[in-house]
Amino acid sequence: MTDPADMIIPLHREMRGENLTRHAQTRALAMVLEKRPAGAEESRRSFGQALTADTLLSKPVAGEFEERIEALENCVKELEGQK
């Protein structure tokens, strides 16, 4: 049987090889995790822009709707005045 002192260097080399593999996996995972917040931020910005666009579009539509209602009310008042 080999002396434990003779096993230290080979074991150390084996552990270093395993650590290099693990470090590569850890780096890959870290890169994936770094990309996720950027994607979430992009989605939040897009959602905010959609809300702003909806508000901007609803103002002219609501204004046009109010004008139509007012015109119809005027027509009803005229018809009521003719009776």
Side-chain angles (χ1 to χ4, degrees), residues 57-77:
L57 288 174
S58 65
K59 288 179 182 178
V61 170
E64 185 178 311
F65 182 74
E66 289 293 326
E67 291 172 3
R68 288 182 178 178
I69 293 288
E70 188 176 333
L72 289 172
E73 288 174 347
N74 290 337
C75 289
V76 169
K77 285 179 186 176

Side-chain angles (χ1 to χ4, degrees), residues 1 8 21-23 26 28-29 33 40 42 44 49 51-53 56-57 60-61 64-65 68 71 76-77 81 83:
M1 185 163 183
I8 292 173
T21 305
R22 297 285 181 186
H23 286 308
T26 304
L29 181 61
L33 292 175
E42 180 63 31
R44 188 201 60 78
Q49 291 171 347
L51 290 175
T52 304
L56 291 174
L57 288 174
V61 170
E64 185 178 311
F65 182 74
R68 288 182 178 178
V76 169
K77 285 179 186 176
K83 286 185 177 179

